[in-house]
Amino acid sequence: MMTRLLQVGGSVLAVVLSLGIAQGQQAPDAAAGKTLLLWPAGAPGAQGTADVDKPTLTVFLPSGPNATKTGVVIAPGGGYQHLAMGYEGTDVARWLNERGVAAFVLKYRLGPKYHNPIEIGDAQRAIRMVRANAAEYGIAPDHLGMWGFSAGGHLTATAGTHFDAGNPNAADPIDRQGSRPDFLILAYPVITLEAPYAHVSSRKYLLGDDPDPAEVQSLSAELQVTKDTPPTFLFSTTDDGTVPVMNSVMFYSALVKAGVPAEMHLFQHGHHGSGLGTGNPELSVWPDLLIKWMRERGYASPTATAAGPVVPAGN
């Protein structure tokens, strides 16, 4: 939003103008740190040179100490057709910063212009990039998690079930890094792309109108869990009217069956897209459960860091 002052006769009127942002994204956050192109020379598979063709990562570093040297890549949701960069992106990054954790907000490419495997390629590149520059960000390479909301939760679960150790012979040092997150945080996630619990719109924008059944199966994360899937925290609501809660239940069940450490919290009521639950007495406690889980696993310090300004990463 932008306010413009206009003088009409002897009066000054404040006119509020709404600025549209490509792909439904919010305006850039002036408090954020440096925004980096995932591929400075151009992203693989790019179909143009517009902003929507350039996946990025925005760095948020805590103002206080990062005692556990933890970082989290954040994937906002939006059904693979837009990105909720505010309440599922920058707000989450600040929340992590206030608890002494580094955060990296991912802007990944979207449908209908881009389909799989572009999105998972962007997520894997983000993980590799942060890991390659871990020392600069004050984090440990083996303390890097990923947190996704809704369709961003699907992207996160995909990153946790489709990963590799990197290419040690790659010319690009970033590509030498592994793409496996060390832990996953999934908030009301899309998990399955199969009926009857699929979020049909997400599947359409990720795979197109007539996807190959083998691709649908490969990207139904509950079917891809192994013992090597990262430890996972899940949050959802039973009466989510957009993404059925069974998405979370199926992924949790698969994790337990595979022997992967997992914790899930289901609330009876709460609309889809609730973010951190700010202002909602029923849901606002879920981030407290998450930070408790992170502390127990050594991914956050025992006490929260006092809130302070975000320290920009780079100039």
Side-chain angles (χ1 to χ4, degrees), residues 152-180:
H154 180 266
L155 186 60
T156 299
T158 303
T161 51
H162 295 72
F163 51 80
D164 60 64
N167 179 4
N169 300 316
D172 184 346
I174 292 175
D175 289 335
R176 300 172 197 162
Q177 303 294 321
S179 65
R180 178 186 180 272

Side-chain angles (χ1 to χ4, degrees), residues 4 89 121 147 171 232 235 257 263 299:
R4 177 173 294 174
W147 183 348
T232 302
F235 151 72
K257 184 177 180 180
E263 181 167 323
Y299 295 128

Side-chain angles (χ1 to χ4, degrees), residues 31-153:
K34 189 174 183 180
T35 295
L36 308 168
L37 291 171
L38 293 186
W39 286 275
Q47 299 180 34
T49 58
D51 184 64
V52 297
D53 303 302
K54 299 176 181 179
T56 64
L57 202 62
T58 301
V59 181
F60 291 77
L61 300 182
S63 59
N66 186 341
T68 61
K69 298 188 180 301
T70 300
V72 178
V73 173
I74 301 167
Y80 284 119
Q81 57 181 308
H82 64 88
L83 295 175
M85 294 293 280
Y87 68 94
E88 292 175 354
T90 57
D91 290 354
V92 178
R94 288 197 184 91
W95 184 89
L96 286 167
N97 282 176
E98 289 167 3
R99 287 149 186 83
V101 177
F104 308 85
V105 179
L106 172 63
K107 186 193 80 175
Y108 52 95
R109 286 171 286 178
L110 301 166
K113 189 172 187 178
Y114 292 100
H115 295 308
N116 182 67
I118 293 297
E119 291 83 353
I120 183 58
D122 290 352
Q124 291 173 337
R125 176 71 174 187
I127 294 166
R128 297 187 211 275
M129 177 180 285
V130 175
R131 194 162 270 145
N133 295 283
E136 176 185 348
Y137 301 136
I139 67 173
D142 60 351
H143 269 216
L144 178 59
M146 188 168 179
W147 183 348
F149 295 80
S150 191

Side-chain angles (χ1 to χ4, degrees), residues 3-15:
T3 302
R4 177 173 294 174
L5 299 180
L6 299 179
Q7 186 167 359
V8 181
S11 302
V12 177
L13 303 179
V15 180

Side-chain angles (χ1 to χ4, degrees), residues 20 26 34 90 152 168 179 184 188 228 237 315:
Q26 297 186 9
K34 189 174 183 180
T90 57
S179 65
L184 306 178
Y188 42 87
D228 297 318
T237 58
N315 297 320

